[in-house]
Amino acid sequence: MKNLFRVPFLLLAIFTLAFSTIFPTYASANSNTTVPTEAQPSKATVSSEQPSPVVKNKNGTIIPMASSDVAVLTLFSVPNGSTNSSGGSTGSNWGTHSFITVKNVSSSNISVGGLSGIASNKTISVGTWGNKSENEGIFYNLEAKFISENSYNNRVSRSMYLTQSQLNSVNSYIRSHDSWSSLNNCSSFAVGLWNSVSTDTYTAGFPNTPQNLYNSLRDGAYTTNAAVPYDYLVYYSDEPNAPKRSNQF
């Protein structure tokens, strides 16, 4: 009698295993993460940089952190005239690059996109790139590296606090937008991510460009040259696998 009961359960277990192997769920396919390696200690903040991040409303009033906040999201855009463009037109109306950063302001480790184990008070930068051989899409910390080398002067930014639920949404957005094209470029990614979690929305214009987003950000609540610490080495997305350490940067 016991064997009669065992057979259906055994068949069910075999079927379940086979189904999950052939048809993996989106969650399991995107569960792979990488714990990044810390970079060398960040350079000292130069006089032209502002403390990062400062969270303000659109009127410029500083917003205090709430007990439910775990991270700060910052939207950046760099106008024309800087080095290290992420691709696209080189015309004066295009701009240079747009990206976001996430800083952990909680007492526990957090994940940012496909990177996990991000320590308290550490920052990750995220942007999409169309002119890098390792990936045409998401890179982590490439902007932070370039800023540590004195690039992206005159960048403007706006910051907001994130709850854990909002951070989860940000991470899902990052992992589902590993691509770049001239019409779906770095500014499209950065402003789309920001607008997905904020009620204060911005535009990258039409077509989307870093210069248009730069102009949109300059609404009275922006910060110029907010510091972007180079806390972790550069990685690039390899969805649905874990991010890979860059050999180029």
Side-chain angles (χ1 to χ4, degrees):
M1 183 63 70
K2 290 182 178 179
N3 288 335
L4 292 177
F5 284 103
R6 287 175 181 168
V7 171
F9 285 113
L10 179 60
L11 291 174
L12 178 61
I14 293 173
F15 176 78
T16 302
L17 178 61
F19 187 88
S20 63
T21 301
I22 299 173
F23 303 104
T25 64
Y26 182 84
S28 64
N30 287 277
S31 61
N32 295 326
T33 61
T34 295
V35 178
T37 301
E38 288 196 33
Q40 295 297 318
S42 299
K43 67 180 180 65
T45 300
V46 297
S47 59
S48 62
E49 290 183 336
Q50 301 299 315
S52 176
V54 178
V55 179
K56 304 176 184 177
N57 62 22
K58 276 205 167 184
N59 296 322
T61 303
I62 294 177
I63 300 173
M65 177 178 161
S67 59
S68 58
D69 295 328
V70 299
V72 173
L73 170 68
T74 303
L75 171 65
F76 285 88
S77 201
V78 187
N80 188 60
S82 185
T83 57
N84 294 310
S85 169
S86 53
S89 173
T90 57
S92 60
N93 293 326
W94 181 266
T96 302
H97 185 47
S98 302
F99 62 99
I100 62 100
T101 63
V102 178
K103 179 179 180 178
N104 183 0
V105 294
S106 74
S107 58
S108 304
N109 290 351
I110 65 170
S111 294
V112 177
L115 299 182
S116 58
I118 308 307
S120 181
N121 292 317
K122 298 294 186 180
T123 299
I124 296 289
S125 72
V126 189
T128 59
W129 295 78
N131 55 4
K132 302 293 179 277
S133 60
E134 292 177 314
N135 186 39
E136 194 169 85
I138 294 286
F139 275 78
Y140 299 93
N141 307 316
L142 186 52
E143 297 86 4
K145 175 178 171 58
F146 287 153
I147 289 170
S148 75
E149 298 168 350
N150 296 315
S151 190
Y152 297 159
N153 292 323
N154 299 316
R155 60 191 178 273
V156 297
S157 61
R158 173 87 186 278
S159 298
M160 65 174 286
Y161 289 112
L162 296 175
T163 63
Q164 185 60 59
S165 176
Q166 289 172 314
L167 177 59
N168 293 342
S169 296
V170 166
N171 290 342
S172 295
Y173 191 99
I174 292 171
R175 302 200 71 168
S176 61
H177 288 77
D178 181 25
S179 62
W180 187 97
S181 70
S182 59
L183 295 179
N184 183 32
N185 53 64
C186 61
S187 63
S188 313
F189 165 79
V191 76
L193 186 152
W194 173 275
N195 289 347
S196 72
V197 292
S198 176
T199 56
D200 290 337
T201 59
Y202 293 96
T203 177
F206 183 81
N208 290 173
T209 69
Q211 187 68 44
N212 286 337
L213 181 53
Y214 170 85
N215 294 336
S216 181
L217 276 165
R218 300 179 72 200
D219 66 353
Y222 67 94
T223 300
T224 302
N225 289 335
V228 180
Y230 183 32
D231 290 331
Y232 295 96
L233 297 178
V234 178
Y235 289 75
Y236 62 91
S237 180
D238 187 35
E239 294 291 347
N241 303 306
K244 293 182 177 180
R245 171 74 180 97
S246 172
N247 292 317
Q248 186 177 358
F249 300 101

